Amino acid sequence: MAAVVVSGPLLLPTAPASALAGPPVADTGYTFTAKLAIGDTFRSCTGTLINAQWILTASSCFAENPDLGYQAAPGAPKWKTTATIGLTRPGSTVSQVRDVVELVPRADRDLVLAKLASPVTGIAPLRVGATAPTQGEQMQGAGYGRTKDTWVPDTLHTGAFTVNQVDGTQLLIDGTPVCKGDTGAPVLREKNGLLELAAVASTSWQGGCLGSASTRTGAGATRVDDLAGWVKQSTSSTLTPWRLQMVATTAGKNLFHTIRDSNWDWSAFGDVEQEAGDIGEVAVASDAAISGSNTIVALGKDGTLYQAVRNPDGTWVAFRPLTTELGALAGVKKIAATSVGSELQLVAITDSRVYHATRDASGQWSKWGDLTAGIGALPSPTQVTIARVGDSTHVGVVLADGRAFHTIRHNDRTWDKWGEITKVPGAPAKVSDIAFAGTGNDLQAVLTEPTGGIKHVARLSTGTWTAFGDLAASVLGTGPVTAVAATSVDGEFHTAIIRDGVIKHTMRHTNGTWEPADTPPGAPADPTTLAITGSWN
């Protein structure tokens, strides 16, 4: 098989690639990989789920004759195409099947985005990396193609590669044989403990593959590290106005902001003070969205509270102090904010008190009100949370002794007396932090334990509490949690934590299932606190 020159000096094999002739993967590994059936049995390829509703694969999978070129027509695929995502081995319980309804090919390389008929849930996508591959770099891969001894494998196989050569759009890799059926397979790297997509398998010598006389195992792969803008723009048709916004403080007392859109893609973290003005060291911050505008309230080192607003178009209204409007409040330790209709509500704790204030639709703040003076004192509060639930507001507080309490502000502005959450059957004996969010008329709560446990519970509209569920081992992993936040986005519950200096996020669908945890890429080092809110824009 002769090699041809493709895109400059990089020598690539000519035949389309297929499955990786390496070992099978574990049941839960590489679930972002998709098996593509094009025209039923006409052609088989591999792809990568890169967000909730899009797969990235090779354009040549959809070409009339891949041996003559990789060009594929945009729009609906010529042949009926199905994608099975997460089918690592027969009997997989996480796999999902979707029709491919639209193709967005890349003109300058063997690459295409394939839109799925509906979003995939319960499978974490693989993010597209932004670092260029280098010669000698070690890569991994996963594919459904032919192996050295199986013509049509029913199990996903993996492989290890070395990058031998790099040009502007392609790589030459060598290592595990790449066989028929692996076209479009992910070529990935591990970065900061996480996998990311670096390239997509394109062509192969197919040495070591069943039925091939070739002894050469080299393969060509298409780079994707420089295509973040194209991917974002090309997949925007599936975006909805709902999105998640997050603010995080760091050990250096800086404040950062990011957005997760409805395709589950995170924006780059931005320095809030560079956009909204320098207020010095930030101890803690919270945020709440109204009509797409995100209000951030930040506590400065000197105890002053500041407000900034991020407009729906991404511009910022500068920070300004709130002392005159709210009144002086000494010794503030933590704050939390939520929106109730066009009203923003804010709570704060000191060493011995819980305070509450509101901002109306005209932007006018009320003065601080001593919540504990009206509904009961709570000794030594350490954490506070607030959430809209229906037309009411729910506030949660954790005390230094580990007890957790809850109250409700009704739409007539009356408050219930404190109720102890840690007395609810099945509740943790001690709580270290708490976060509330409302989904419809139900309250969702996440409680962390000093031992590292993470519990989820809901308080239904009837006033009854559900059984506590364990989010540590099953969703968010184990180990001490230093911060927790929660919100709702389009009726679904989101929560995020900080553990070992890493931010992790998950969401609970309306059917009660949880998404695998993801980590926002490029998160600031040493995060200390975080807050999240859902906004409509």
Side-chain angles (χ1 to χ4, degrees), residues 214-238:
S214 175
T215 59
R216 299 184 64 174
T217 59
T222 303
R223 286 178 57 181
V224 300
D225 57 275
D226 59 336
L227 299 180
W230 174 72
V231 170
K232 186 85 171 176
Q233 181 180 9
S234 300
T235 60
S236 62
S237 65
T238 48

Side-chain angles (χ1 to χ4, degrees), residues 54-134:
W54 291 86
I55 284 172
L56 195 57
T57 186
S59 182
S60 54
C61 292
F62 300 92
E64 289 280 353
N65 185 349
D67 289 327
L68 299 179
Y70 57 73
Q71 291 80 10
K78 178 178 179 179
W79 303 280
K80 176 178 172 57
T81 301
T82 59
T84 304
I85 305 99
L87 184 64
T88 57
R89 58 181 61 235
S92 169
T93 58
V94 301
S95 63
Q96 299 173 44
V97 179
R98 299 288 189 276
D99 286 342
V100 172
V101 296
E102 181 184 351
L103 301 177
V104 182
R106 177 79 184 186
D108 65 340
R109 60 193 83 178
D110 186 9
L111 202 66
V112 68
L113 283 158
K115 179 182 176 182
L116 304 177
S118 61
V120 172
T121 61
I123 297 175
L126 182 67
R127 301 304 178 189
V128 176
T131 303
T134 57

Side-chain angles (χ1 to χ4, degrees), residues 171-409:
L171 311 175
L172 186 62
I173 56 177
D174 205 352
T176 303
V178 178
C179 307
K180 288 186 179 297
D182 286 331
T183 304
V187 178
L188 42 93
R189 61 155 66 89
E190 185 174 321
K191 186 176 181 181
N192 299 325
L194 300 173
L195 293 176
E196 65 178 27
L197 186 65
V200 166
S202 176
T203 53
S204 168
W205 287 105
Q206 300 183 54
C209 304
L210 182 64
S212 173
S214 175
T215 59
R216 299 184 64 174
T217 59
T222 303
R223 286 178 57 181
V224 300
D225 57 275
D226 59 336
L227 299 180
W230 174 72
V231 170
K232 186 85 171 176
Q233 181 180 9
S234 300
T235 60
S236 62
S237 65
T238 48
L239 291 175
T240 66
W242 276 105
R243 57 189 185 177
L244 177 76
Q245 301 199 46
M246 175 187 290
V247 291
T249 60
T250 67
K253 305 300 183 183
N254 297 313
L255 180 61
F256 294 88
H257 170 268
T258 185
I259 292 173
R260 182 183 188 265
D261 64 30
S262 60
N263 276 343
W264 304 357
D265 291 324
W266 294 91
S267 67
F269 278 85
D271 188 327
V272 175
E273 290 181 278
Q274 287 185 2
E275 300 291 337
D278 187 357
I279 58 173
E281 296 182 357
V282 179
V284 65
S286 189
D287 62 346
I290 298 175
S291 300
S293 294
N294 186 13
T295 296
I296 295 176
V297 180
L299 176 63
K301 179 184 178 182
D302 61 357
T304 300
L305 285 171
Y306 297 85
Q307 170 189 288
V309 177
R310 185 183 186 278
N311 295 316
D313 63 2
T315 60
W316 289 82
V317 178
F319 274 114
R320 62 180 179 83
L322 295 176
T323 304
T324 300
E325 294 164 273
L326 291 171
L329 188 61
V332 175
K333 298 191 299 184
K334 294 291 177 67
I335 56 174
T338 193
S339 58
V340 181
S342 59
E343 182 181 74
L344 187 142
Q345 298 196 33
L346 182 67
V347 286
I349 55 173
T350 64
D351 286 333
S352 60
R353 299 285 180 178
V354 182
Y355 293 87
H356 175 264
T358 62
R359 189 191 71 187
D360 64 23
S362 70
Q364 298 298 308
W365 284 94
S366 69
K367 295 294 184 181
W368 284 118
D370 185 348
L371 190 55
T372 44
I375 64 173
L378 292 177
S380 303
T382 59
Q383 305 288 352
V384 66
T385 184
I386 186 171
R388 172 186 179 175
V389 182
D391 293 328
S392 61
T393 305
H394 291 235
V395 173
V397 175
V398 176
L399 307 184
D401 61 10
R403 290 182 294 162
F405 289 81
H406 162 260
T407 186
I408 302 174
R409 181 183 189 258

